[in-house]
Amino acid sequence: MRKAFKIMALVTLSLLALIALGTVAFVNLAPQFGAAATGERLKRMQASPNFKDGTFQNLVPTSLDLSFLEGAKAAWQMLRGTDDSEPKATIQTVPLDVKRLEGAGDPDHVAVAWFGHSSLLIRMGGKTFLTDPVLVGERVSMVSMVGPKRFPYDHYIGLDELPKVDAVLMSHDHYDHLDYPTFVRLKERAERFFVPLGVGAHLEKWGIPADRITELDWDESVQFGTLTLVCAPSRHFSGRGLTNRNSTLWCSWVLKGENRRVYFGGDSGYYPGFKTIGEKYGPFDLALLECGAYNEKWIDIHMLPEQTAQAQLDVRAEVLMPIHWAKFNLALHPWRDPIRRLTQRAAQLGSRLATPRIGEVLVLGEPVPTAPWWESIP
């Protein structure tokens, strides 16, 4: 019996070792995981005031961990879904009006088109920006066969339908923002890539030349045409693998023109930094702020809708356009819950809210779309 037990133990350990080796090999070889920073890139990251004890840090204490039981329960609930976690019918989109997006040469023209979640086209200062594009991959996951799948749209806009993209703005490297299949094709379509520290290593592995990538730390800026782009803080985290949490920086973006300012918030839990950004870089004509994938258990890294409404006031934005919803089921709330709660709170605060349909172009200076289109979808 003792001998049989030893043999069983040896076999079990061998299997576990093979699984571990296979996992490591998969992470190292699968291109979607990206690459770790090395050399001068790593030295620059380590010199950042936001880098400590081997990882990037938030400006305020931030909890990232659920207990094992809480994490398992949440994962199981998301896998099972509920009757209203996703739309039961197809979401009708609006064909992209490129001429309306690009305007007619007005130097103060600012227009935005939303493709669900955090993927946006922003036209400003004569430049077209694409943010956190997830336009090719159907799922946002380490493995393309499993994971959250995009909601049913009557049309998913493709890269070939976009106008010339002058620059891509990235907030962080999570799969629902940095989509490997999209970037493999974007390297032939976008001229510049502006990313937070460390994210450039992923892009270079995917074939994007280093001289087209600009990596910035918080509060660093770069001139792009007539615009100043500022890499501003946010309260979140990063990581694409099993062991590289917070190995790259996360951020929000300030776009400053001569007479217009736009704020793209990326992903963030609510924190005093919004007021700081408003005081330092505001006021803003438009704020694009996350509103979705939240839960009380991970409130430090994703705002509740009521907090999103407050963040608009904090950053001093005239108009708020909610993003990070209506494309993926990444939490436990009903899919319409974010926008319903936000509209209610914005009305209480007397704030201006823009709610364009997927693909619809919002032009600053014109009446903003406010129709509750989500209510007509079962």
Side-chain angles (χ1 to χ4, degrees), residues 88-103:
K88 296 183 177 67
T90 299
I91 294 177
Q92 301 298 310
T93 64
V94 175
L96 178 63
D97 187 338
V98 174
K99 289 184 178 180
R100 179 171 166 78
L101 178 79
E102 294 183 339

Side-chain angles (χ1 to χ4, degrees), residues 3-35:
K3 185 177 181 181
F5 177 78
K6 287 183 178 180
I7 292 173
M8 289 179 63
L10 182 61
V11 170
T12 301
L13 289 173
S14 298
L15 286 174
L16 290 174
L18 286 172
I19 292 171
L21 287 171
T23 301
V24 171
F26 175 64
V27 171
N28 288 333
L29 295 176
Q32 66 266 29
F33 286 94

